[in-house]
Amino acid sequence: MNATTQVSLSKVPEVTLIFWIIKVAATTLGETGGDAVSMSMNLGYLIGTGIFATIFVVTVTAQISAKQFRPLLYWTTIIATTTVGTTLADFADRSLGIGYAGGTSLLFTLLMGSLFIWYRSLGSVSVDTVRSPRAEMFYWVTIMFSQTLGTALGDWTADTAGLGYRGGAIVFSALLALVVATYYWTIISRTLLFWAAFILTRPLGAVVGDFLDKPLDAGGLALSRYTASAVLLVFIVACILIFPQRAAKQGH
């Protein structure tokens, strides 16, 4: 393996417990932060999507251009995908009038299409093979679609399915526990389980975020979206600084 390949391989973090803790916090921040811009600031879903899409493009470009793994940059990009996912899903579900079921179906199709094209183009969708700018682009587009799908799925479960935010959190936590059990006790593809867990953490963050900031009569805690977002951001930064993350060990 030459030096150039070694550098490019070092930008994806090792998947550990702290990775998933930060991921859930980041997805929750995406919900509260996205709602703060589109709803609390009264900018609307379309303008909110435009703002976060711009941030997404900038951060992804910086991430792909980086020469080595930089935790703060990586997680900033993750947060960018989850905030744009929040406003984009809300725009599709509410402004376009296709509803939660329609939005979830559309976004699931886009996610599967992204994974299919990635696989057909490069032969694998494993994060262990993200070793080139092209693979990184597929990686981030797929993540963005998964974050958007998770938002729509979380809203659908909490609202349309009538489970509420607490019920939704219990459902997605149970599904994640099932993925963990499957990881330890079966030989099912680790790549499949990674993407299943990655997708499921988003609706969990969505319902937890809504639980924090929605009115009391809607089943939430009525916390300020700005306060909740600030607390989550501080928590994420603290995790990154206290628990140093290493670049993933990747395959040849």
Side-chain angles (χ1 to χ4, degrees), residues 44 70 93 118 120 147 169 197 200:
R70 299 183 183 277
D93 296 340
W118 181 2
R120 289 299 299 269
Q147 306 280 41
L200 287 171

Side-chain angles (χ1 to χ4, degrees), residues 31 154-155 157-158 164-165 168-169 172 202-212:
E31 188 71 20
D155 289 342
T157 303
Y165 305 122
F172 292 117
R202 182 62 187 99
L204 175 60
V207 293
V208 171
D210 282 338
F211 175 67
L212 292 175

Side-chain angles (χ1 to χ4, degrees), residues 12 71 153 200 248-249:
V12 177
L153 184 59
L200 287 171
K249 296 177 181 178

Side-chain angles (χ1 to χ4, degrees), residues 27-44:
T27 59
T28 308
L29 172 59
E31 188 71 20
T32 58
D35 287 348
V37 170
S38 63
M39 300 170 68
S40 296
M41 293 183 183
N42 295 316
L43 294 180

Side-chain angles (χ1 to χ4, degrees), residues 163-230:
L163 294 179
Y165 305 122
R166 295 180 185 178
I170 292 172
V171 167
F172 292 117
S173 294
L175 289 174
L176 281 168
L178 179 61
V179 171
V180 172
T182 303
Y183 176 86
Y184 284 107
W185 296 329
T186 74
I187 57 172
I188 290 177
S189 167
R190 277 18 188 179
T191 298
L192 174 63
L193 293 177
F194 171 83
W195 286 111
F198 203 96
I199 292 168
L200 287 171
T201 53
R202 182 62 187 99
L204 175 60
V207 293
V208 171
D210 282 338
F211 175 67
L212 292 175
D213 64 35
K214 287 298 188 284
L216 294 174
D217 58 4
L221 294 179
L223 299 179
S224 163
R225 293 187 179 107
Y226 303 118
T227 301
S229 298

